[in-house]
């Protein structure tokens, strides 16, 4: 009995109650002409009585659509869960899909099975289009999706889109601003903990850091891989802080907040004070960044807005066959308290690591 009560009413159930054929019910529920008003009213009343609701997948298929967008992530499952970018990005996609009842199909796979995942999505018509993230050097996916006639949007640099619509956000100004501010605060040894070299955005961030360091008239400090992970960030930080003498950095710019937060913890563990002994800068401005100790300087990249813009662009590609590239507002540096004057240059510090010169002593009037 409980199972019967939980069963979703079907068009056949509505037809039996209204005393008409299932095709007549379909006509009435889809607002198609050809039915007498009395018959249509009887069908709608029967549907209301049974609590019938349209099946979103069935509606999508009737219109030649799957009612879903796809996102294939070629990463370790644990890494996807730990990276704060993807929950915000996916939430942005859902702000576009949820109000209309569509869904996002997320598939996590490994490099060897990536192409097969796209082939299955296209062959089974499980999605109407896909979002391509984590673009790599010589990435095969734009060509693959075009070959499969699977609508796609690149989430990243247009240079790697190969004719597909690209939704991009320039992270270079934030890295330039971070390094320029650190140099202004007296730092002369500024290191970088980089993301995976196969990702185009990781290379671009490293190149932006190096360019900014040279622009400041400095020699780029050590670069170590952090892999966008907490473990990688911690290991790289420990190695950097073990360097002796002038090799040891007084500031580290990380490729993301996850590795930077781990680096912050390592600095504390080693007895260093941040920012008195070491300045730390991340990227992504994750919600946790403002609540670390001290609050983590970072760059706001608006992953949620990026996800929404990518979903809207893919909608346009699905509808019209193409869409113009979209360039979002660039990432913005937020110089919080983990960024401060270089050791030996500190007098006192204002909000966000701003050096404040001591006020001259008041003159006594005889």
């Amino acid at each position: 009995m409980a199972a019967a009560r939980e069963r979703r009413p079907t068009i056949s159930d509505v037809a039996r109650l209204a005393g008409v054929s299932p095709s007549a019910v379909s006509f009435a529920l889809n607002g198609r002409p050809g039915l007498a008003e009395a018959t249509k009213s009887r069908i709608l009343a029967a549907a209301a009585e049974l609590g019938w609701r349209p099946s979103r997948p069935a509606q999508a298929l009737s219109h030649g659509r799957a009612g879903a967008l796809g996102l294939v992530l070629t990463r370790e499952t644990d890494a996807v869960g730990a990276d704060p970018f993807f929950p915000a990005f996916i939430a942005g996609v859902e702000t576009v899909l949820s109000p209309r009842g569509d869904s996002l199909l997320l598939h996590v796979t490994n490099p060897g099975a990536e192409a097969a995942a796209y082939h299955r999505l296209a062959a089974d018509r499980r999605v109407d289009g896909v979002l391509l993230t984590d673009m790599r050097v010589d990435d095969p996916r734009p060509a693959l999706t075009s070959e499969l006639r699977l609508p796609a949007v690149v989430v990243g640099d247009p240079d790697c889109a190969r004719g597909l619509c690209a939704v991009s956000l320039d992270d270079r100004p934030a890295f330039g601003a971070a390094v320029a501010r650190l140099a202004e605060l007296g730092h002369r040894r500024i290191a970088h903990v980089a993301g995976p070299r196969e990702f185009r955005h990781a290379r671009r961030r490293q190149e932006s850091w190096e360019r900014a360091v040279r622009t400041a008239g400095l020699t780029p400090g050590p670069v170590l891989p952090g892999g966008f992970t907490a473990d990688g960030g911690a290991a790289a930080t420990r190695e950097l802080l073990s360097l002796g003498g002038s090799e040891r950095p007084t500031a580290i710019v990380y490729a993301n907040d996850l590795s930077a937060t781990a680096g912050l913890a390592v600095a504390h563990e080693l007895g260093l004070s941040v920012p008195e002994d070491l300045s730390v800068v991340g990227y992504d401005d994750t919600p946790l960044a403002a609540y670390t100790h001290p609050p983590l300087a970072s760059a706001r990249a608006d992953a949620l807005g990026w996800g929404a813009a990518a979903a809207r662009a893919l909608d346009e590609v699905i509808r019209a066959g193409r869409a113009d590239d979209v360039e979002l507002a660039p990432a913005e540096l937020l110089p919080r308290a983990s960024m401060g004057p270089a050791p030996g240059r500190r007098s006192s510090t204002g909000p966000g690591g701003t050096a404040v010169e001591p006020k001259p002593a008041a003159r006594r009037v005889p």
Side-chain angles (χ1 to χ4, degrees):
M1 291 297 291
R5 284 196 302 270
E6 293 172 3
R7 186 176 69 85
R8 184 183 185 128
T10 66
I11 284 181
S12 295
D13 296 329
V14 177
R16 277 193 296 271
L17 182 60
V20 297
S21 67
S23 61
V25 174
S26 180
F27 270 57
L29 296 177
N30 287 293
R32 296 170 61 185
L35 290 177
E37 282 302 319
T39 303
K40 182 178 179 180
S41 296
R42 191 164 75 252
I43 292 170
L44 295 178
E49 181 179 338
L50 291 173
W52 180 88
R53 294 289 183 274
S55 165
R56 181 63 186 173
Q59 278 191 324
L61 288 173
S62 70
H63 291 90
R65 296 184 61 243
L69 302 183
L71 177 60
V72 177
L73 298 180
T74 308
R75 287 194 181 195
E76 295 293 332
T77 305
D78 291 347
V80 173
D83 190 333
F85 171 82
F86 283 108
F89 179 82
I90 289 170
V93 174
E94 289 288 357
T95 63
V96 175
L97 302 185
S98 294
R100 67 189 191 216
D102 282 359
S103 59
L104 177 68
L105 177 62
L106 175 64
H107 185 70
V108 181
T109 187
N110 59 66
E114 182 182 63
Y118 287 101
H119 277 279
R120 283 196 304 273
L121 290 176
D124 298 344
R125 300 182 65 186
R126 297 174 64 190
V127 298
D128 298 308
V130 290
L131 299 165
L132 306 181
T133 63
D134 280 345
M135 300 306 292
R136 305 186 293 272
V137 177
D138 298 324
D139 202 307
R141 290 175 295 167
L144 175 62
T145 53
S146 296
E147 176 188 328
L148 295 172
R149 299 183 181 276
L150 183 61
V153 160
V154 166
V155 180
D157 194 338
D159 290 345
C160 64
R162 297 189 184 182
L164 298 181
C165 168
V167 181
S168 60
L169 184 152
D170 194 352
D171 46 20
R172 291 171 296 186
F175 280 86
V179 171
R181 182 65 186 133
L182 289 168
E184 181 184 323
L185 290 169
H187 293 274
R188 295 294 175 264
R189 193 69 171 166
I190 303 171
H192 180 56
V193 174
R197 287 289 293 170
E198 67 266 25
F199 291 155
R200 291 178 65 97
H201 59 292
R203 289 197 181 196
R204 187 175 61 246
R205 292 174 189 181
Q206 181 176 333
E207 290 164 1
S208 301
W209 158 82
E210 183 174 348
R211 188 180 303 112
V213 171
R214 293 191 186 281
T215 298
L218 305 175
T219 300
V223 179
L224 289 178
F228 286 152
T229 67
D231 286 346
T237 304
R238 202 175 299 278
E239 184 172 345
L240 287 170
L241 296 181
S242 70
L243 296 174
S246 62
E247 292 295 309
R248 180 167 166 168
T250 61
I252 305 176
V253 177
Y254 294 78
N256 74 346
D257 277 359
L258 188 59
S259 57
T261 302
L264 194 64
V266 167
H268 290 320
E269 178 190 326
L270 295 176
L272 298 179
S273 178
V274 177
E276 287 79 7
D277 301 317
L278 177 73
S279 284
V280 173
V281 184
Y283 182 91
D284 279 333
D285 188 34
T286 56
L288 183 61
Y291 297 97
T292 58
H293 178 69
L296 179 65
S298 187
R300 179 169 295 151
D302 189 15
L304 189 142
W306 205 347
R312 288 193 294 268
L314 185 52
D315 277 349
E316 181 65 14
V317 171
I318 293 166
R319 185 191 67 80
R322 65 169 305 278
D324 293 332
D325 289 345
V326 178
E327 185 172 354
L328 304 174
E332 174 190 4
L333 175 68
L334 301 175
R336 297 193 182 100
S338 69
M339 177 187 287
R345 287 285 299 269
R346 176 175 294 272
S347 48
S348 60
T349 304
T354 303
V356 179
E357 294 300 325
K359 294 181 180 178
R363 294 179 60 189
R364 289 190 178 182
V365 178

